[in-house]
Each structure stands twice: as C-alpha cells, then as structure tokens.
Amino acid sequence: MTLLDTRPGIAATWRALTVRTGVHVDADLAVSRLGPPLRQEMAEWFPPERVEEAVGLYRSLYPAHAIAPAVALPGSLEALAAVRAEGGRIVVITSKLGRLASLHLAHLGISVDKVYGDVFHAEKAAVLTEIGASLYVGDHVADMEAGVLAGVPAVGVTSGPCSAAELRAAGATEVFADLHPFPALLQRMISVGRPGSGD
C-alpha cells in the first residue's frame, strides 16, 4: 500500500477463498489490516492445521483476482520518477511474495531494480542493511521500525492501516498522506552537504 492500491483485488481474492473453502473471511476487515505476513491474517480465519493449505490456495487465486484491479497510489509514479531522475536505485521490500509483487509492477509498467518478497519487520531491516539503502518508504509501523533497526531514514505514508501518529511513534522521520511531497523531500535530502547549501 505504499506504491499501489491493492485493496480491491486482495478483497476479491479473500472472497474467492471463502467460496473455495467454505470458510467465511470478512474480506473488508482482512484488507484493513494489510502489512503483516499473510499467515498472520490467515490464522485469524482458519484453524492452525489448515493455515498452510489456505495460504497456498490464496496465492494460487491471487493472480486471477488481485492483479488487474490494482492502481498506482497518488504521487507514487512521480516519486519513482524523481528517484530515477537523480540516478537512484528503486528496490521493493514487501511481505508479499516477490513473484506476486512483480506481477503487480509488470501489470502497471513500473520498473524497479529488485524485489525482495516475503520479508517483514527485522527481515526488512536486514535487506535495507544489505543493499545499503539511504531511504525507506512504507505504510506500516513495522516498516518504520525496520528503518530504525537498519539506521535508515523512514518515510511513512498513511495510505495503509497505520495513522500518522502511529508511524511517527514508530520512528518515521516524515509522514505524508500520499507521495506527492516525496520529490521535494528527496531534493532537500540531496541538497544537504552540497557546496553552498549551508548544511
């Protein structure tokens, strides 16, 4: 939910899972809690012995139901373009399986340098450290905490399930309602330390 609004398609996938399994899932409630790993949400609806089976079925249903409805969130394409204009690398780090995240990006024609999937919280911090990230943007308190753990400035966006106050409390250095202000933030960050910047 940082670059793309995947909620309609994810809700459709949960509803398809209900049809296939006969287990009622409140799709709207599940979608309101996006961010943590899929197994965590699945455990809210299925008994422990059925979680892995349900996860596999959900993921098999996902491409047919979730990819086409997704749209870019406000300001996200401009934010990516701003990074490219400065010669930066774009890496997607997500709790979603990498192959499913890549399907979303390909469907919308979004080019990134690499996708790291099926990682959350401290695992995201490890990726940030590994790639030498200079900035991380996310929509969940776990993203902000990952940035703190990795020593990387984290920008929070309230397009996901967490409020501005929650993102700030988790360590966000900036919080935006959407990514429209991101290019200006990037320019400010780049200007620090340049001759004549006064910083």
Side-chain angles (χ1 to χ4, degrees):
M1 287 295 299
T2 304
L3 295 175
L4 311 178
D5 186 353
T6 55
R7 289 171 295 193
I10 288 176
T13 306
W14 282 114
R15 293 186 184 108
L17 184 69
T18 289
V19 170
R20 288 285 296 272
T21 63
V23 175
H24 172 71
V25 175
D26 184 333
D28 294 328
L29 178 58
V31 166
S32 75
R33 302 190 291 219
L34 290 178
L38 175 61
R39 286 176 181 84
Q40 181 173 319
E41 184 63 40
M42 201 67 74
E44 297 289 328
W45 309 102
F46 288 82
E49 66 274 13
R50 293 193 64 188
V51 166
E52 288 305 314
E53 170 198 355
V55 165
L57 181 55
Y58 174 96
R59 287 173 171 166
S60 73
L61 294 167
Y62 194 96
H65 295 275
I67 303 303
V71 295
L73 283 166
S76 62
L77 299 182
E78 295 87 344
L80 295 173
V83 174
R84 288 294 191 212
E86 295 296 336
R89 295 178 68 238
I90 299 169
V91 176
V92 171
I93 308 171
T94 177
S95 63
K96 190 184 302 298
L97 279 188
R99 66 177 174 82
L100 298 180
S102 294
L103 287 176
H104 277 297
L105 297 169
H107 178 73
L108 292 170
I110 296 173
S111 174
V112 302
D113 293 290
K114 191 155 185 176
V115 175
Y116 290 85
D118 202 20
V119 290
F120 187 66
H121 199 254
E123 297 164 329
K124 289 188 174 185
V127 173
L128 290 168
T129 301
E130 175 189 334
I131 65 176
S134 55
L135 182 64
Y136 186 43
V137 182
D139 68 353
H140 198 277
V141 294
D143 297 328
M144 304 302 99
E145 291 167 355
V148 171
L149 286 169
V152 175
V155 174
V157 187
T158 57
S159 50
C162 302
S163 68
E166 289 170 327
L167 294 169
R168 287 193 186 94
T173 56
E174 299 273 354
V175 178
F176 301 139
D178 60 41
L179 285 173
H180 278 123
F182 180 85
L185 170 66
L186 183 64
Q187 283 302 311
R188 290 199 303 272
M189 290 182 64
I190 291 170
S191 71
V192 173
R194 282 180 174 169
S197 70
D199 296 312

